[in-house]
Amino acid sequence: MTEKNRNNFLFSREQLADTVEKIVRGTPITDIHTHLYAPSFGSLLLWGIDELLTYHYLVAEFFRTTEMPYSNFWNMSKKEQANAIWQSLFLERSPISEACRGVLTVLNRLGLDTTERDLNAYREWFSKQTLEEHVNRVFEVANLKSVVMTNDPFDLLERDFWLTPVEIDSRFITSLRLDTLVLRWIEIYPMLQTWGYTVDKDLTDETLSEIRRFMSDWIQKIKPVYVAISLPPQFDFPEHNPRGIILEQAILPVTKFFNIPLALMIGVNRNVNPELRLAGDSVGTASLRPVEHLCEKYPQNKFMFTMLSRENVHSACVTARKFRNLLPFGCWWFLNNPSLIEEITTMRIELLGTTFIPQHSDARVLEQVIYKWEHTRQVLIKVLMEQYSKLLATGWKITEDEIQRDVSNFFGGNFWKFLESKF
Ligand code: FIX
Ligand code: ZN
């Protein structure tokens, strides 16, 4: 131990609290899963107050407060939908849900007056922003370094942007999302045919080889940091259905070849209420055995994973302890609430130390990164403070540099190191 380090020890709880807060707030984040797009993707990048208010989390909450027929809502303009949600969720009752509070955190951090409750004044403010400056400002307020987009080659609108590529703001990083390929093969294989791949409904050797070619083409085209798929709670591995065959014979060999992780997002039951459209997905508890089978059988493949059900979080930590080629990430969607982030992050630290990625934002609307990260940072400060205090109680001493190292790993380091690793 050098004299310099000894002098830097944080001795008191107060020193520790100030340092943890300063570092958690001051460390820029790589947000590893969002649904945001770089400005060059035009209308695919959602931003502004009407988008914030019509976020699908709020749409689901709105329908709990009204007898309005679903179709009436969907026939409204975006502005009218936003008005209805504002009226019902913010004015007729207190906006104390996480998603409602999020809108207010955004307004507040952007310097707008939340005491005014004047939706048109907020609209006017947003209408005066130029997109480029606004993106810079949002990144600055949220203290973000970069965000990973969700890039879907089966989304025809998005596909057009990739076919005539323009320069992409380097803060927006790509990921290749393949739900459609893996989960909807029977419906979508004709699309691959029209794009020049010799595929058949039956997953013959030639078809699988063409699927691998399709994936390789897209990996070379968009240079994703990972490939991702979301899966229902019934997901199993191995499985003798198109999902299992495509996974094992196309996704795994290609991700291994390019040495990029496959991110598994497990536990979503899609469309349990189709009337709610994007807001109509739900959750189910899954088994961790398929993930264990995958990691055991393919130790040279890299997997990232997040579970949607709270009931799965503990077993997920145990599974992660067993496989170094498996990196847990984020408190996904219905778990992205302060009480659950606190519980999950504490549990992960107790079982995994610092070897996981605590959070991603899942932002769909640009400004949401402000609230999602502000709320997460508040919880992380509390959780880390508790864990470091317990260390101090053993007589162990900590330096500011050590706390910075740990937080930097949480906010990007673990992710980037995992991408570089080769097993
Ligand atoms: O599958 C996903 O990536 C989910 O995060 C989304 O589809 C979901 O709609 C969402 O926005 C959750 O935050
Ligand atoms: Zn998502």
Side-chain angles (χ1 to χ4, degrees):
M1 180 60 61
T2 64
E3 199 49 41
K4 179 174 174 282
N5 271 348
R6 205 183 298 280
N7 291 339
N8 287 341
F9 284 150
L10 303 164
F11 287 103
S12 67
R13 264 188 81 87
E14 291 68 39
Q15 269 181 318
L16 182 65
D18 289 350
T19 308
V20 169
E21 167 134 21
K22 182 180 83 182
I23 290 175
V24 171
R25 294 200 177 284
T27 306
I29 289 173
T30 301
D31 188 346
I32 71 140
H33 170 64
T34 75
H35 297 266
L36 301 178
Y37 290 88
S40 53
F41 287 81
S43 61
L44 288 176
L45 171 58
L46 306 182
W47 64 286
I49 186 67
D50 289 331
E51 296 293 352
L52 286 167
L53 286 171
T54 53
Y55 185 33
H56 68 77
Y57 291 27
L58 290 174
V59 170
E61 290 172 30
F62 167 73
F63 274 112
R64 298 192 51 71
T65 68
T66 176
E67 293 171 11
M68 176 191 289
Y70 293 104
S71 58
N72 287 21
F73 181 80
W74 297 120
N75 287 333
M76 289 175 176
S77 68
K78 179 138 293 179
K79 186 173 169 185
E80 288 166 341
Q81 290 173 351
N83 286 342
I85 289 175
W86 177 255
Q87 180 64 30
S88 185
L89 293 184
F90 290 76
L91 301 182
E92 289 170 10
R93 43 187 62 72
S94 292
I96 54 179
S97 77
E98 171 65 7
C100 284
R101 180 170 72 108
V103 175
L104 301 178
T105 299
V106 168
L107 296 177
N108 176 270
R109 295 298 186 276
L110 286 173
L112 292 156
D113 182 359
T114 49
T115 62
E116 266 182 15
R117 301 189 183 192
D118 182 348
L119 185 49
N120 283 326
Y122 305 143
R123 281 197 177 111
E124 206 180 312
W125 184 87
F126 279 95
S127 72
K128 287 190 193 130
Q129 308 309 309
T130 60
L131 184 55
E132 200 184 322
E133 279 167 19
H134 189 55
V135 171
N136 291 342
R137 179 163 186 183
V138 168
F139 269 69
E140 199 181 301
V141 174
N143 197 7
L144 281 187
K145 192 186 276 174
S146 49
V147 300
V148 178
M149 305 181 276
T150 295
N151 302 103
D152 179 359
F154 292 90
D155 177 330
L156 296 180
L157 206 57
E158 177 169 357
R159 191 182 144 83
D160 281 350
F161 284 96
W162 288 111
L163 294 183
T164 43
V166 288
E167 207 180 320
I168 297 174
D169 181 330
S170 61
R171 291 170 297 185
F172 292 78
I173 300 167
T174 51
S175 75
L176 182 61
R177 184 68 179 254
L178 292 179
D179 286 25
T180 306
L181 176 71
V182 179
L183 304 176
R184 294 172 46 206
W185 175 252
I186 307 296
E187 288 160 69
I188 62 84
Y189 76 90
M191 287 172 98
L192 264 78
Q193 290 175 335
T194 61
W195 297 335
Y197 297 90
T198 318
V199 294
D200 201 350
K201 183 162 134 203
D202 300 325
L203 291 161
T204 59
D205 286 351
E206 190 193 13
T207 294
L208 286 162
S209 156
E210 284 292 89
I211 294 176
R212 289 192 291 270
R213 184 166 72 88
F214 168 76
M215 272 188 72
S216 304
D217 288 348
W218 276 87
I219 287 175
Q220 286 166 89
K221 190 192 286 291
I222 78 170
K223 302 195 172 41
V225 283
Y226 60 75
V227 170
I229 39 178
S230 73
L231 293 156
Q234 303 76 18
F235 166 66
D236 203 357
F237 184 84
E239 278 186 315
H240 299 290
N241 55 23
R243 180 169 78 197
I245 296 168
I246 295 172
L247 175 61
E248 191 156 20
Q249 297 193 46
I251 309 263
L252 294 182
V254 176
T255 47
K256 181 171 170 230
F257 178 82
F258 288 97
N259 194 33
I260 54 180
L262 171 62
L264 302 165
M265 308 176 71
I266 306 174
V268 53
N269 278 318
R270 297 279 179 200
N271 240 1
V272 301
N273 182 357
E275 299 276 20
L276 287 175
R277 300 192 181 178
L278 192 54
D281 300 338
S282 188
V283 60
T285 302
S287 163
L288 268 297
R289 279 309 273 148
V291 178
E292 293 173 345
H293 284 141
L294 268 168
C295 294
E296 187 203 351
K297 189 163 176 196
Y298 294 98
Q300 292 175 339
N301 276 73
K302 296 189 285 193
F303 300 96
M304 294 164 54
F305 80 132
T306 194
M307 307 296 295
L308 192 51
S309 147
R310 181 190 187 185
E311 288 70 21
N312 278 142
V313 174
H314 178 250
S315 30
C317 289
V318 176
T319 295
R321 288 173 67 87
K322 309 298 150 192
F323 297 99
R324 62 185 180 174
N325 59 332
L326 181 62
L327 180 62
F329 73 93
C331 301
W332 184 21
W333 200 343
F334 310 113
L335 297 179
N336 191 351
N337 291 301
S339 64
L340 297 171
I341 303 169
E342 183 173 339
E343 169 185 302
I344 293 167
T345 309
T346 304
M347 193 191 301
R348 282 172 164 168
I349 289 179
E350 287 170 348
L351 281 159
L352 298 165
T354 61
T355 62
F356 64 96
I357 300 170
Q359 189 61 303
H360 62 266
S361 78
D362 235 315
R364 276 182 182 267
V365 181
L366 175 68
E367 301 85 354
Q368 286 171 345
V369 290
I370 295 175
Y371 95 77
K372 304 245 187 191
W373 284 112
E374 168 63 32
H375 295 186
T376 284
R377 278 187 162 103
Q378 283 166 10
V379 178
L380 282 183
I381 288 166
K382 183 168 176 220
V383 170
L384 285 176
M385 184 56 202
E386 275 163 25
Q387 299 306 322
Y388 289 127
S389 300
K390 287 178 192 163
L391 274 191
L392 286 192
T394 70
W396 185 262
K397 297 280 181 275
I398 311 161
T399 66
E400 180 167 339
D401 288 353
E402 288 168 339
I403 296 175
Q404 180 65 69
R405 172 199 59 198
D406 296 344
V407 172
S408 298
N409 281 335
F410 277 150
F411 284 177
N414 288 341
F415 177 63
W416 294 110
K417 275 178 222 150
F418 192 65
L419 295 188
E420 279 164 24
S421 63
K422 199 164 190 331
F423 296 110

